[in-house]
Amino acid sequence: ALLAMILHACVAVTLAWAGHRGPLRTGRFHPPAMRAEDGEEPLDMALLGNRIAETKEPVAEMPLLVIDAMLPRQKLAICVEDETGLRMLDDSQSSFAGYLGVHGIDPQNGGVLAVGTAAEIVERSGRNVVLAGRRAYGLSQTPRLGEEGYHICTPVWRGWGNGDAGDAAAADDLEELCDRWKALVTEKGAERESGQLK
């Protein structure tokens, strides 16, 4: 009898606790929202989303634009004067998801640099456009001349984790090298427009 009373009391307490907590629910587990620990910076989910997007391959091919060398995340404002260039912009927005393959000129031989940056058209007003560098790539073959009079390239995307030991060693010095390059460009007044590298 005593054992039955104890068991009854345990069941009553359990039911009362369950009633206080609310009815039991079934379904998928939803983890709590991620938050920063005390003293840490808040987690920037938008920044994380941008980093993930940068690893994706945006297009299989795109028009080739030879102007200045660009870096991923750099912005460049240009004005397109010729009609072929305007057709290229129109086609980029309608058929290539707004992407252009931007390459610079090799100062040693005057040819097109083998490494370029996929740039997205983020603003356009007629002939004036703003490009945003998205991801670096290389060329494995000579770009073909399209029917509209401009060249189209097939990018070989340079992703994360596919480099060699030499790439890893060079990456250690990259931040300092970029800072020196930006300082030199600014000091020499070589920006296309004031504040371009800020």
Side-chain angles (χ1 to χ4, degrees):
L2 179 60
L3 181 60
M5 291 176 60
I6 294 174
L7 181 61
H8 178 75
C10 289
V11 171
V13 170
T14 301
L15 290 176
W17 178 83
H20 172 71
R21 298 280 293 181
L24 295 177
R25 298 178 181 177
T26 59
R28 301 177 63 182
F29 172 69
H30 297 280
M34 290 193 296
R35 63 180 181 82
E37 298 296 332
D38 292 339
E40 294 182 356
E41 292 294 326
L43 297 174
D44 191 337
M45 298 307 293
L47 178 59
L48 178 60
N50 290 339
R51 294 288 177 86
I52 294 174
E54 287 172 1
T55 67
K56 297 181 179 179
E57 301 178 0
V59 289
E61 60 179 14
M62 55 193 165
L64 179 68
L65 178 62
V66 181
I67 42 171
D68 293 337
M70 283 188 72
L71 296 173
R73 303 185 192 177
Q74 178 186 348
K75 285 192 174 182
L76 182 64
I78 62 173
C79 178
V80 177
E81 299 290 348
D82 61 292
E83 295 303 316
T84 300
L86 290 175
R87 288 196 300 271
M88 180 178 64
L89 294 180
D90 293 338
D91 292 348
S92 171
Q93 293 182 298
S94 63
S95 304
F96 300 97
Y99 279 88
L100 298 170
V102 179
H103 287 252
I105 298 294
D106 189 333
Q108 296 182 346
N109 57 31
V112 177
L113 290 172
V115 176
T117 297
E120 184 180 4
I121 299 174
V122 292
E123 295 179 30
R124 182 181 178 187
S125 176
R127 299 178 180 272
N128 299 299
V129 296
V130 177
L131 304 175
R134 297 303 188 202
R135 187 171 173 187
Y137 66 90
L139 294 175
S140 63
Q141 56 185 311
T142 302
R144 61 181 175 84
L145 182 61
E147 296 179 357
E148 296 297 327
Y150 55 82
H151 286 83
I152 298 174
C153 65
T154 302
V156 178
W157 300 106
R158 299 169 69 91
W160 321 120
N162 61 354
D164 55 22
D167 291 335
D172 291 337
D173 301 325
L174 182 60
E175 184 174 0
E176 181 182 355
L177 181 62
C178 286
D179 289 341
R180 289 174 55 196
W181 174 79
K182 289 174 64 177
L184 285 172
V185 171
T186 304
E187 290 171 5
K188 299 295 184 180
E191 292 176 291
R192 182 179 289 272
E193 58 184 32
S194 179
Q196 178 183 353
L197 295 180
K198 289 184 179 180

